[in-house]
Amino acid sequence: MKKALLAIMLLLIITACSLISPATPTSDPTDTPIPVTLTDMPTPRPTRMPPTPVSSPSPASKIYEVAQKIGRAVNLGNALEAPNEGEWGVTLKEDYFVQIKDAGFDSVRIPIRFSAHAERTHPYTLESEFLARIDWAIDNALKNDLNAIIDLHHYEEIMIEPEKHRERFLGLWQQLAERYQDTPNSLYFEPLNEPNGNLEDVIWNDLLADVIAIIRETNPIRPIIVGPDNWNNLSRLEFLHLPDDDNLIVTFHYYLPFQFTHQGAEWVNDSQPWLGTTWDGSQADRFVMNTDFSQVADWAAQNNHPIFLGEFGAYNKADMDSRTRWTDAVARLAEEYGFSWAYWEFCSGFGVYDPEIATWREPLLQALLGEK
Ligand code: BGC
């Protein structure tokens, strides 16, 4: 009897459930997946939004705002990171900062070869005249309401013999950190451009921890920009291990496809046969770019760091239409992901500005900043 009652109750429950939520058919012929090729695919949109700052920002989330403030920047390349300023054809002028601000940029990244302007032995004193020139560049940026990033660039020797140059590198930053400790936080420090060669993995992570500690002695909240080894390569982000610090911004550089962006580049071996490579911006091209950027965004979200795309650009041996398309695609995608960015570079081989006639290269400028 009990069993019969139980069976009836069970039957009633099952019937009630099927009335409330009708079961979905398990096999529907229209469900069969249609094979998709890359060219069929709609342009993929980023799946992840950058973390939004919480309403009462903790020190950790404040850095997202500080990273956003960099906004749209341009690298003042080939000037102060040449062995001596002017040797690579660019000498900075006051007017450049005015032009950059007027065009609508928010910041400048200033690559600097400090290592060529300091003593070789302890205490590695930086040349005072060179430092005065750096002060001038920073002052010009700040007085034009541009944020300034000073980046220690082209310390080639440390890439070959990291241990031998460790103390000197740290000594350089100790001096710079002391010198600029009272400069407003619209000055950002980037301890080293594109670590590469033997400066990798554990050695790079160790050196980074040390340089950050030295900077923090005098600059407790200065925003510091750091990136992975192998030329700030996005695929090396997973090997970047950072100390616990609330004021770090993570950077990567993007020059892919390399055979397009560096075609005919004199400093890249065997780049002559790449001449004529175009970038058409097909769905497949954009899919690859999006996949790269989403990898960065995923890493950033998992590791709680804002991202700054510190360099991207296509050399002037590529055709202007492709350069414009590619530049626009990179800048817009970076913005969609919430990355601030800096174009490589202002007025040399990748230049968005033609210094001969003191005029912007409009197609590139528009690709970066959009119509005025
Ligand atoms: C280097 C430049 C080079 C650029 C593109 C930069 O990081 O410092 O010398 O032109 O990358 O290759």
Side-chain angles (χ1 to χ4, degrees):
M1 179 65 185
K2 263 190 186 164
K3 275 190 186 158
L5 262 176
L6 266 175
I8 291 166
M9 275 170 68
L10 210 63
L11 202 68
L12 281 174
I13 292 168
I14 292 168
T15 321
C17 283
S18 68
L19 283 176
I20 295 165
S21 112
T24 358
T26 45
S27 88
D28 175 346
T30 55
D31 264 89
T32 320
I34 304 161
V36 184
T37 64
L38 270 186
T39 40
D40 290 322
M41 281 190 178
T43 311
R45 306 321 291 169
T47 49
R48 190 188 296 278
M49 291 302 288
T52 16
V54 285
S55 49
S56 71
S58 69
S61 61
K62 179 102 174 98
I63 193 62
Y64 284 89
E65 287 167 37
V66 175
Q68 278 298 318
K69 239 182 52 172
I70 299 173
R72 299 164 159 196
V74 65
N75 278 279
L76 291 173
N78 286 20
L80 293 160
E81 89 279 23
N84 291 292
E85 189 184 7
E87 287 182 5
W88 287 356
V90 183
T91 302
L92 298 181
K93 296 180 183 168
E94 274 191 22
D95 181 54
Y96 289 173
F97 296 88
V98 177
Q99 296 283 344
I100 290 169
K101 180 66 190 180
D102 280 359
F105 288 96
D106 305 300
S107 308
V108 285
R109 179 172 180 259
I110 314 175
I112 307 167
R113 196 186 292 238
F114 287 111
S115 59
H117 301 276
E119 281 170 3
R120 297 261 141 207
T121 50
H122 188 82
Y124 315 107
T125 310
L126 281 152
E127 289 166 13
S128 54
E129 239 178 82
F130 187 69
L131 283 173
R133 182 67 176 155
I134 305 308
D135 293 349
W136 170 90
I138 295 171
D139 287 351
N140 268 281
L142 302 192
K143 86 174 183 214
N144 281 290
D145 199 20
L146 293 162
N147 308 293
I149 298 160
I150 51 168
D151 126 53
L152 192 145
H153 211 97
H154 283 321
Y155 193 167
E156 320 284 13
E157 308 93 304
I158 202 171
M159 313 300 176
I160 303 164
E161 294 181 295
E163 289 309 335
K164 192 172 159 203
H165 288 269
R166 165 182 282 266
E167 194 191 294
R168 184 165 185 258
F169 170 75
L170 298 175
L172 298 180
W173 272 108
Q174 182 163 17
Q175 294 169 69
L176 295 170
E178 271 170 25
R179 187 175 189 91
Y180 297 118
Q181 58 184 307
D182 296 324
T183 308
N185 265 357
S186 40
L187 174 67
Y188 297 62
F189 291 165
E190 185 172 342
L192 188 64
N193 180 62
E194 298 185 344
N196 63 79
N198 294 325
L199 186 49
E200 58 177 358
D201 270 331
V202 180
I203 306 177
W204 173 228
N205 289 329
D206 263 17
L207 188 62
L208 256 183
D210 284 357
V211 75
I212 292 168
I214 283 186
I215 293 171
R216 289 290 173 245
E217 284 170 12
T218 45
N219 292 252
I221 56 160
R222 172 81 48 201
I224 301 179
I225 299 175
V226 295
D229 65 7
N230 196 11
W231 312 88
N232 291 153
N233 193 320
L234 68 95
S235 68
R236 298 287 302 171
L237 278 169
E238 58 179 303
F239 300 101
L240 180 68
H241 297 139
L242 296 171
D244 192 9
D245 184 301
D246 288 342
N247 289 290
L248 300 181
I249 296 167
V250 171
T251 191
F252 74 106
H253 292 178
Y254 197 74
Y255 288 106
L256 299 178
F258 198 66
Q259 300 194 351
F260 163 66
T261 64
H262 279 68
Q263 55 189 287
E266 295 78 6
W267 63 99
V268 176
N269 289 338
D270 302 322
S271 65
Q272 292 304 311
W274 305 342
L275 285 169
T277 310
T278 57
W279 193 81
D280 305 328
S282 66
Q283 286 184 342
D285 288 340
R286 288 171 195 274
F287 181 80
V288 172
M289 194 180 273
N290 189 68
T291 305
D292 288 340
F293 278 51
S294 70
Q295 192 183 324
V296 176
D298 284 348
W299 181 89
Q302 278 155 21
N303 293 274
N304 288 318
H305 291 297
I307 297 289
F308 165 55
L309 168 56
E311 287 187 17
F312 67 100
Y315 194 41
N316 63 12
K317 300 269 168 86
D319 71 277
M320 190 49 118
D321 281 353
S322 294
R323 289 174 74 197
T324 304
R325 245 191 314 275
W326 182 87
T327 303
D328 173 64
V330 175
R332 296 298 80 75
L333 196 57
E335 285 164 6
E336 279 182 48
Y337 277 105
F339 307 160
S340 48
W341 54 254
Y343 178 68
W344 184 269
E345 31 69 19
F346 177 57
C347 69
S348 197
F350 294 67
V352 54
Y353 182 85
D354 183 344
E356 305 274 310
I357 50 170
T359 307
W360 292 97
R361 296 195 168 100
E362 277 302 326
L364 278 177
L365 185 65
Q366 277 182 24
L368 288 167
L369 300 183
E371 304 274 342
K372 269 201 180 167

